[in-house]
Amino acid sequence: MTSVLRSDLVERLRVTGAIVSAPVEAAFRAVPREHFMPPGTAPQTAYGSENVVTKRDPAGTAISSVTAADVQAAMLEQADLRPGMSVLEVGSGGLNAALIAEIVGPGGRVVSVDIDPSVTARAAQMLAGAGYGDRVTVLTADGDDDVPGPFDAIIVTVGAWDIAPAWHRQLTAGGTLVVPLVMNGATRTIAFRRETDHLVSTSARVAGFVAMQGHGRHDDSLVDLGDGVTLRFDGSPPPGPLTGVLATGPVEAWSGVLFPDPMSWSDLYLWLAWQLPGFCRLTVGEGSPLDRHARLFPVGTVHERGLALIRVRPADRGVEFGALAFGRDAAPAAAVLVEQMRAWNRHARPAGEPSFGYWPAGSDRTTIPPDAAVLAKTHGLLTMRTRR
């Protein structure tokens, strides 16, 4: 049964474009996914399209999982692995390391690290049981720390807020780093190629991962508005009190920006995460007055004493995006959000997926393109450019 499911999975991944190369296809045909799943996992789940959680923290948040097959395949394709390569995996689970080992072959080297000893113990056990114990070295270590290298490729399988200096140091000249990078709440799995003193993206895909722990952990700044509504800011929240902001309004404004229905708004989300002043994400409790507004689009902006959220309404051939705003400065807050929707529609929407760069501390910042948007990170500057 599992052989049929495995073959069906490979065919699905080829049709969707997650698998495009013969080495990745061969790895997916060779590695038994079911062996790396939690006990009792149904074969259909093992070969399904969703993440499978392997560990949760006391609050019930997933902190380790088997990555969805399409994301695994896409990241391996992004890494452009070859036989004989030395590869570091940050975030252990066993399955992905086995796939890497299949691609790099007996002459390659695979090291998998994780900060959680229970995760590495499980990964090592699963790898040994599947016949990869002598082909993958599993280490318990903080993924941000140095691991004896160098490595031709580094594949990070946890959501990273920043690029650890160790990853840059450990990467060979021309090597590839594939990392799910969190940018103000928007995540792209980005393949970076090392060029002299900085990194330049070669591809980027939408994906989501459990958050990194240890030195690379990043906590949002939280602002409680009451009524079950919490605002989450990537950095420091805007100055000024927001108490009672939900008691005034709402005010509506509409952008004229249309989407087909059904739709994916991930590109707009990425633009807002980079370009929208006061950008925030919302956590809204069930029964909150904002529940129905923020359930699908849990992002917005704070402007002075105003809070503006995304909302949509039916339009010809789809839906129109707009703003629903509250507070003393509801109208200007709505105008700020709507203008950025229009700016995305003018400048970024026709261009497709942007390109990214990373300039670590100590690199030559004068080489940053003048038209690039810049996000400051702890260890360097991340840039985004609209492709033209």
Side-chain angles (χ1 to χ4, degrees), residues 11-91:
E11 292 306 314
R12 292 201 308 270
L13 296 177
R14 290 180 59 186
V15 168
T16 61
I19 289 179
V20 297
S21 69
V24 173
E25 178 180 340
F28 269 76
R29 292 192 184 278
V31 176
R33 294 184 69 83
E34 70 277 7
H35 180 82
F36 295 90
M37 299 292 162
T41 301
Q44 292 83 356
T45 301
Y47 288 92
S49 58
E50 302 294 331
N51 291 355
V52 178
V53 176
T54 56
K55 185 175 181 180
R56 297 183 183 274
D57 65 15
T61 302
I63 57 175
S64 185
S65 65
V66 179
T67 305
D70 63 326
V71 177
Q72 280 183 324
M75 291 180 72
L76 292 173
E77 295 286 8
Q78 286 182 287
D80 194 24
L81 302 180
R82 295 287 185 270
M85 278 188 170
S86 179
V87 182
L88 172 65
E89 178 193 39
V90 178

Side-chain angles (χ1 to χ4, degrees), residues 221-226 229-233 236-238 240-243:
S221 298
L222 307 181
V223 175
D224 185 0
L225 297 185
V229 179
T230 301
L231 305 185
R232 310 179 69 92
F233 295 90
S236 299
L242 291 171
T243 305

Side-chain angles (χ1 to χ4, degrees), residues 272 276 300-301 308-310 322-323 332-342:
L272 296 178
L276 181 62
T301 183
L309 315 177
I310 293 175
V336 168
L337 177 53
V338 163
E339 175 49 36
Q340 283 303 322
M341 292 173 175
R342 292 170 177 161

Side-chain angles (χ1 to χ4, degrees), residues 161-225:
W161 186 83
D162 199 0
I163 293 177
W167 303 342
H168 196 265
R169 289 193 297 267
Q170 293 164 179
L171 200 60
T172 59
T176 299
L177 167 68
V178 181
V179 54
L181 202 55
V182 182
M183 300 165 283
N184 224 350
T187 303
R188 290 291 188 277
T189 298
I190 305 175
F192 286 105
R193 184 67 50 82
R194 181 170 181 172
E195 293 189 4
T196 61
D197 65 349
H198 64 280
L199 302 171
V200 176
S201 71
T202 57
S203 63
R205 298 178 63 102
V206 178
F209 281 79
V210 298
M212 179 171 280
Q213 304 175 60
H215 295 149
R217 173 174 173 166
H218 177 79
D219 294 321
D220 293 329
S221 298
L222 307 181
V223 175
D224 185 0
L225 297 185

Side-chain angles (χ1 to χ4, degrees), residues 346-367:
R346 290 193 303 267
H347 303 298
R349 188 174 191 173
E353 188 69 45
S355 60
F356 301 90
Y358 189 84
W359 274 257
S363 59
D364 182 5
R365 305 288 175 81
T366 64
T367 60

